[in-house]
PDB file of all heavy atoms in Angstrom:
ATOM      1  N   VAL A   9     -17.775  73.703 -63.213  1.00 94.00           N
ATOM      2  CA  VAL A   9     -17.217  72.433 -62.840  1.00 94.00           C
ATOM      3  C   VAL A   9     -17.605  72.289 -61.417  1.00 94.00           C
ATOM      4  O   VAL A   9     -17.747  73.139 -60.641  1.00 94.00           O
ATOM      5  CB  VAL A   9     -15.742  72.245 -63.119  1.00 94.00           C
ATOM      6  CG1 VAL A   9     -15.422  72.402 -64.582  1.00 94.00           C
ATOM      7  CG2 VAL A   9     -14.964  73.253 -62.217  1.00 94.00           C
ATOM      8  N   TRP A  10     -17.584  70.937 -60.921  1.00 92.00           N
ATOM      9  CA  TRP A  10     -17.939  70.626 -59.592  1.00 92.00           C
ATOM     10  C   TRP A  10     -16.720  69.801 -59.076  1.00 92.00           C
ATOM     11  O   TRP A  10     -16.201  68.922 -59.701  1.00 92.00           O
ATOM     12  CB  TRP A  10     -19.205  69.791 -59.550  1.00 92.00           C
ATOM     13  CG  TRP A  10     -20.375  70.602 -59.705  1.00 92.00           C
ATOM     14  CD1 TRP A  10     -21.165  71.175 -58.697  1.00 92.00           C
ATOM     15  CD2 TRP A  10     -20.858  71.159 -60.959  1.00 92.00           C
ATOM     16  NE1 TRP A  10     -22.165  71.958 -59.291  1.00 92.00           N
ATOM     17  CE2 TRP A  10     -22.006  71.928 -60.720  1.00 92.00           C
ATOM     18  CE3 TRP A  10     -20.507  70.990 -62.312  1.00 92.00           C
ATOM     19  CZ2 TRP A  10     -22.710  72.594 -61.673  1.00 92.00           C
ATOM     20  CZ3 TRP A  10     -21.325  71.582 -63.309  1.00 92.00           C
ATOM     21  CH2 TRP A  10     -22.347  72.388 -62.923  1.00 92.00           C
ATOM     22  N   ILE A  11     -16.250  70.284 -57.825  1.00 92.00           N
ATOM     23  CA  ILE A  11     -15.010  69.847 -57.244  1.00 92.00           C
ATOM     24  C   ILE A  11     -15.286  69.102 -55.926  1.00 92.00           C
ATOM     25  O   ILE A  11     -15.984  69.560 -55.044  1.00 92.00           O
ATOM     26  CB  ILE A  11     -14.016  70.942 -57.041  1.00 92.00           C
ATOM     27  CG1 ILE A  11     -13.663  71.537 -58.534  1.00 92.00           C
ATOM     28  CG2 ILE A  11     -12.720  70.538 -56.473  1.00 92.00           C
ATOM     29  CD1 ILE A  11     -12.934  72.789 -58.410  1.00 92.00           C
ATOM     30  N   TYR A  12     -14.555  67.995 -55.848  1.00 90.00           N
ATOM     31  CA  TYR A  12     -14.559  67.153 -54.493  1.00 90.00           C
ATOM     32  C   TYR A  12     -13.235  67.166 -53.971  1.00 90.00           C
ATOM     33  O   TYR A  12     -12.307  66.810 -54.749  1.00 90.00           O
ATOM     34  CB  TYR A  12     -15.197  65.725 -54.885  1.00 90.00           C
ATOM     35  CG  TYR A  12     -14.905  64.771 -53.696  1.00 90.00           C
ATOM     36  CD1 TYR A  12     -15.762  64.837 -52.610  1.00 90.00           C
ATOM     37  CD2 TYR A  12     -13.878  63.832 -53.837  1.00 90.00           C
ATOM     38  CE1 TYR A  12     -15.487  63.860 -51.639  1.00 90.00           C
ATOM     39  CE2 TYR A  12     -13.722  62.987 -52.842  1.00 90.00           C
ATOM     40  CZ  TYR A  12     -14.542  62.897 -51.684  1.00 90.00           C
ATOM     41  OH  TYR A  12     -14.219  62.026 -50.728  1.00 90.00           O
ATOM     42  N   VAL A  13     -13.043  67.427 -52.681  1.00 89.00           N
ATOM     43  CA  VAL A  13     -11.684  67.265 -52.094  1.00 89.00           C
ATOM     44  C   VAL A  13     -11.693  66.227 -51.164  1.00 89.00           C
ATOM     45  O   VAL A  13     -12.445  66.114 -50.176  1.00 89.00           O
ATOM     46  CB  VAL A  13     -11.468  68.652 -51.426  1.00 89.00           C
ATOM     47  CG1 VAL A  13     -10.036  68.579 -50.698  1.00 89.00           C
ATOM     48  CG2 VAL A  13     -11.471  69.800 -52.280  1.00 89.00           C
ATOM     49  N   ASP A  14     -10.674  65.301 -51.259  1.00 89.00           N
ATOM     50  CA  ASP A  14     -10.573  64.151 -50.352  1.00 89.00           C
ATOM     51  C   ASP A  14      -9.479  64.397 -49.391  1.00 89.00           C
ATOM     52  O   ASP A  14      -8.199  64.454 -49.727  1.00 89.00           O
ATOM     53  CB  ASP A  14     -10.253  62.839 -51.185  1.00 89.00           C
ATOM     54  CG  ASP A  14     -10.243  61.674 -50.279  1.00 89.00           C
ATOM     55  OD1 ASP A  14     -10.129  61.767 -49.016  1.00 89.00           O
ATOM     56  OD2 ASP A  14     -10.336  60.552 -50.784  1.00 89.00           O
ATOM     57  N   THR A  15      -9.843  64.883 -48.139  1.00 88.00           N
ATOM     58  CA  THR A  15      -8.771  65.360 -47.184  1.00 88.00           C
ATOM     59  C   THR A  15      -8.041  64.151 -46.633  1.00 88.00           C
ATOM     60  O   THR A  15      -7.021  64.463 -45.807  1.00 88.00           O
ATOM     61  CB  THR A  15      -9.488  66.069 -46.008  1.00 88.00           C
ATOM     62  OG1 THR A  15     -10.431  65.316 -45.491  1.00 88.00           O
ATOM     63  CG2 THR A  15     -10.134  67.318 -46.631  1.00 88.00           C
ATOM     64  N   ASN A  16      -8.379  62.964 -47.097  1.00 89.00           N
ATOM     65  CA  ASN A  16      -7.427  61.797 -46.567  1.00 89.00           C
ATOM     66  C   ASN A  16      -6.162  61.772 -47.427  1.00 89.00           C
ATOM     67  O   ASN A  16      -5.245  60.972 -47.124  1.00 89.00           O
ATOM     68  CB  ASN A  16      -8.296  60.520 -46.882  1.00 89.00           C
ATOM     69  CG  ASN A  16      -9.359  60.342 -46.002  1.00 89.00           C
ATOM     70  OD1 ASN A  16      -9.215  60.604 -44.595  1.00 89.00           O
ATOM     71  ND2 ASN A  16     -10.586  60.037 -46.463  1.00 89.00           N
ATOM     72  N   HIS A  17      -6.088  62.575 -48.495  1.00 91.00           N
ATOM     73  CA  HIS A  17      -4.864  62.589 -49.338  1.00 91.00           C
ATOM     74  C   HIS A  17      -4.236  63.974 -49.235  1.00 91.00           C
ATOM     75  O   HIS A  17      -4.917  64.985 -49.133  1.00 91.00           O
ATOM     76  CB  HIS A  17      -5.251  62.256 -50.846  1.00 91.00           C
ATOM     77  CG  HIS A  17      -5.847  60.896 -50.910  1.00 91.00           C
ATOM     78  ND1 HIS A  17      -5.133  59.762 -50.811  1.00 91.00           N
ATOM     79  CD2 HIS A  17      -7.106  60.625 -51.272  1.00 91.00           C
ATOM     80  CE1 HIS A  17      -5.815  58.648 -50.941  1.00 91.00           C
ATOM     81  NE2 HIS A  17      -7.043  59.146 -51.259  1.00 91.00           N
ATOM     82  N   TYR A  18      -2.944  64.089 -49.357  1.00 94.00           N
ATOM     83  CA  TYR A  18      -2.176  65.222 -49.338  1.00 94.00           C
ATOM     84  C   TYR A  18      -2.401  66.020 -50.613  1.00 94.00           C
ATOM     85  O   TYR A  18      -2.632  65.454 -51.654  1.00 94.00           O
ATOM     86  CB  TYR A  18      -0.670  65.041 -49.069  1.00 94.00           C
ATOM     87  CG  TYR A  18      -0.009  64.118 -50.145  1.00 94.00           C
ATOM     88  CD1 TYR A  18       0.543  64.743 -51.255  1.00 94.00           C
ATOM     89  CD2 TYR A  18       0.064  62.767 -49.985  1.00 94.00           C
ATOM     90  CE1 TYR A  18       1.072  63.895 -52.251  1.00 94.00           C
ATOM     91  CE2 TYR A  18       0.714  61.969 -50.927  1.00 94.00           C
ATOM     92  CZ  TYR A  18       1.285  62.594 -52.083  1.00 94.00           C
ATOM     93  OH  TYR A  18       1.855  61.800 -53.021  1.00 94.00           O
ATOM     94  N   VAL A  19      -2.103  67.392 -50.554  1.00 94.00           N
ATOM     95  CA  VAL A  19      -2.285  68.202 -51.737  1.00 94.00           C
ATOM     96  C   VAL A  19      -1.318  67.670 -52.775  1.00 94.00           C
ATOM     97  O   VAL A  19      -0.117  67.472 -52.506  1.00 94.00           O
ATOM     98  CB  VAL A  19      -1.992  69.571 -51.432  1.00 94.00           C
ATOM     99  CG1 VAL A  19      -1.945  70.559 -52.575  1.00 94.00           C
ATOM    100  CG2 VAL A  19      -3.031  70.187 -50.383  1.00 94.00           C
ATOM    101  N   GLY A  20      -1.650  67.497 -53.953  1.00 94.00           N
ATOM    102  CA  GLY A  20      -0.854  67.008 -55.000  1.00 94.00           C
ATOM    103  C   GLY A  20      -0.968  65.575 -55.327  1.00 94.00           C
ATOM    104  O   GLY A  20      -0.565  65.109 -56.335  1.00 94.00           O
ATOM    105  N   HIS A  21      -1.602  64.867 -54.385  1.00 95.00           N
ATOM    106  CA  HIS A  21      -1.850  63.458 -54.451  1.00 95.00           C
ATOM    107  C   HIS A  21      -2.885  63.286 -55.631  1.00 95.00           C
ATOM    108  O   HIS A  21      -3.880  64.042 -55.709  1.00 95.00           O
ATOM    109  CB  HIS A  21      -2.406  62.863 -53.360  1.00 95.00           C
ATOM    110  CG  HIS A  21      -2.527  61.207 -53.228  1.00 95.00           C
ATOM    111  ND1 HIS A  21      -3.530  60.656 -53.882  1.00 95.00           N
ATOM    112  CD2 HIS A  21      -1.656  60.290 -52.826  1.00 95.00           C
ATOM    113  CE1 HIS A  21      -3.485  59.406 -53.818  1.00 95.00           C
ATOM    114  NE2 HIS A  21      -2.322  59.114 -53.162  1.00 95.00           N
ATOM    115  N   PRO A  22      -2.718  62.341 -56.582  1.00 94.00           N
ATOM    116  CA  PRO A  22      -3.767  62.134 -57.604  1.00 94.00           C
ATOM    117  C   PRO A  22      -5.129  61.981 -57.199  1.00 94.00           C
ATOM    118  O   PRO A  22      -6.012  62.359 -57.924  1.00 94.00           O
ATOM    119  CB  PRO A  22      -3.262  60.859 -58.370  1.00 94.00           C
ATOM    120  CG  PRO A  22      -1.812  60.659 -58.074  1.00 94.00           C
ATOM    121  CD  PRO A  22      -1.762  61.308 -56.646  1.00 94.00           C
ATOM    122  N   ASP A  23      -5.468  61.476 -55.986  1.00 90.00           N
ATOM    123  CA  ASP A  23      -6.778  61.278 -55.554  1.00 90.00           C
ATOM    124  C   ASP A  23      -7.303  62.384 -54.680  1.00 90.00           C
ATOM    125  O   ASP A  23      -8.294  62.406 -54.101  1.00 90.00           O
ATOM    126  CB  ASP A  23      -6.959  59.984 -54.880  1.00 90.00           C
ATOM    127  CG  ASP A  23      -6.750  58.820 -55.826  1.00 90.00           C
ATOM    128  OD1 ASP A  23      -7.206  58.978 -56.936  1.00 90.00           O
ATOM    129  OD2 ASP A  23      -6.292  57.752 -55.395  1.00 90.00           O
ATOM    130  N   HIS A  24      -6.479  63.592 -54.487  1.00 91.00           N
ATOM    131  CA  HIS A  24      -6.907  64.596 -53.556  1.00 91.00           C
ATOM    132  C   HIS A  24      -8.091  65.327 -54.053  1.00 91.00           C
ATOM    133  O   HIS A  24      -8.861  65.794 -53.295  1.00 91.00           O
ATOM    134  CB  HIS A  24      -5.653  65.561 -53.412  1.00 91.00           C
ATOM    135  CG  HIS A  24      -5.950  66.703 -52.491  1.00 91.00           C
ATOM    136  ND1 HIS A  24      -6.193  66.630 -51.156  1.00 91.00           N
ATOM    137  CD2 HIS A  24      -6.013  67.997 -52.816  1.00 91.00           C
ATOM    138  CE1 HIS A  24      -6.515  67.829 -50.726  1.00 91.00           C
ATOM    139  NE2 HIS A  24      -6.349  68.756 -51.620  1.00 91.00           N
ATOM    140  N   LEU A  25      -8.107  65.492 -55.353  1.00 92.00           N
ATOM    141  CA  LEU A  25      -9.252  66.345 -55.965  1.00 92.00           C
ATOM    142  C   LEU A  25      -9.841  65.494 -57.037  1.00 92.00           C
ATOM    143  O   LEU A  25      -9.300  64.761 -57.784  1.00 92.00           O
ATOM    144  CB  LEU A  25      -8.782  67.568 -56.626  1.00 92.00           C
ATOM    145  CG  LEU A  25      -8.116  68.719 -55.788  1.00 92.00           C
ATOM    146  CD1 LEU A  25      -7.653  69.847 -56.688  1.00 92.00           C
ATOM    147  CD2 LEU A  25      -9.216  69.207 -54.669  1.00 92.00           C
ATOM    148  N   LYS A  26     -11.172  65.723 -57.231  1.00 92.00           N
ATOM    149  CA  LYS A  26     -11.956  65.059 -58.309  1.00 92.00           C
ATOM    150  C   LYS A  26     -12.709  66.324 -58.861  1.00 92.00           C
ATOM    151  O   LYS A  26     -13.336  67.098 -58.164  1.00 92.00           O
ATOM    152  CB  LYS A  26     -12.935  64.121 -57.802  1.00 92.00           C
ATOM    153  CG  LYS A  26     -12.428  62.951 -57.079  1.00 92.00           C
ATOM    154  CD  LYS A  26     -11.940  61.845 -58.043  1.00 92.00           C
ATOM    155  CE  LYS A  26     -11.450  60.551 -57.337  1.00 92.00           C
ATOM    156  NZ  LYS A  26     -10.194  60.060 -57.806  1.00 92.00           N
ATOM    157  N   VAL A  27     -12.614  66.489 -60.218  1.00 94.00           N
ATOM    158  CA  VAL A  27     -13.262  67.539 -60.926  1.00 94.00           C
ATOM    159  C   VAL A  27     -14.242  66.905 -61.858  1.00 94.00           C
ATOM    160  O   VAL A  27     -13.864  66.019 -62.707  1.00 94.00           O
ATOM    161  CB  VAL A  27     -12.345  68.389 -61.586  1.00 94.00           C
ATOM    162  CG1 VAL A  27     -13.002  69.476 -62.303  1.00 94.00           C
ATOM    163  CG2 VAL A  27     -11.326  69.043 -60.654  1.00 94.00           C
ATOM    164  N   PHE A  28     -15.520  67.290 -61.776  1.00 93.00           N
ATOM    165  CA  PHE A  28     -16.536  66.751 -62.623  1.00 93.00           C
ATOM    166  C   PHE A  28     -17.057  67.778 -63.464  1.00 93.00           C
ATOM    167  O   PHE A  28     -17.278  68.987 -63.235  1.00 93.00           O
ATOM    168  CB  PHE A  28     -17.686  66.238 -61.722  1.00 93.00           C
ATOM    169  CG  PHE A  28     -17.315  65.136 -60.587  1.00 93.00           C
ATOM    170  CD1 PHE A  28     -16.929  65.529 -59.397  1.00 93.00           C
ATOM    171  CD2 PHE A  28     -17.266  63.980 -61.127  1.00 93.00           C
ATOM    172  CE1 PHE A  28     -16.546  64.540 -58.538  1.00 93.00           C
ATOM    173  CE2 PHE A  28     -16.815  62.906 -60.204  1.00 93.00           C
ATOM    174  CZ  PHE A  28     -16.437  63.235 -58.993  1.00 93.00           C
ATOM    175  N   ALA A  29     -17.431  67.399 -64.775  1.00 91.00           N
ATOM    176  CA  ALA A  29     -17.935  68.213 -65.796  1.00 91.00           C
ATOM    177  C   ALA A  29     -19.369  68.621 -65.520  1.00 91.00           C
ATOM    178  O   ALA A  29     -19.845  69.665 -66.015  1.00 91.00           O
ATOM    179  CB  ALA A  29     -17.751  67.659 -67.145  1.00 91.00           C
ATOM    180  N   ASP A  30     -20.160  67.767 -64.897  1.00 87.00           N
ATOM    181  CA  ASP A  30     -21.560  68.103 -64.579  1.00 87.00           C
ATOM    182  C   ASP A  30     -22.006  67.499 -63.233  1.00 87.00           C
ATOM    183  O   ASP A  30     -21.380  66.419 -62.875  1.00 87.00           O
ATOM    184  CB  ASP A  30     -22.500  67.765 -65.747  1.00 87.00           C
ATOM    185  CG  ASP A  30     -22.513  66.353 -66.166  1.00 87.00           C
ATOM    186  OD1 ASP A  30     -22.938  65.500 -65.284  1.00 87.00           O
ATOM    187  OD2 ASP A  30     -22.216  65.946 -67.275  1.00 87.00           O
ATOM    188  N   PRO A  31     -23.132  67.967 -62.698  1.00 85.00           N
ATOM    189  CA  PRO A  31     -23.546  67.395 -61.386  1.00 85.00           C
ATOM    190  C   PRO A  31     -23.993  65.898 -61.506  1.00 85.00           C
ATOM    191  O   PRO A  31     -23.820  65.271 -60.518  1.00 85.00           O
ATOM    192  CB  PRO A  31     -24.594  68.352 -60.940  1.00 85.00           C
ATOM    193  CG  PRO A  31     -24.984  69.009 -62.237  1.00 85.00           C
ATOM    194  CD  PRO A  31     -23.884  69.080 -63.077  1.00 85.00           C
TER     195      PRO A  31
END
Side-chain angles (χ1 to χ4, degrees):
V9 294
W10 285 262
I11 299 175
Y12 166 77
V13 179
D14 186 341
T15 58
N16 292 313
H17 298 288
Y18 59 87
V19 174
H21 187 281
D23 292 326
H24 178 69
L25 296 175
K26 301 278 187 222
V27 180
F28 301 94
D30 64 60

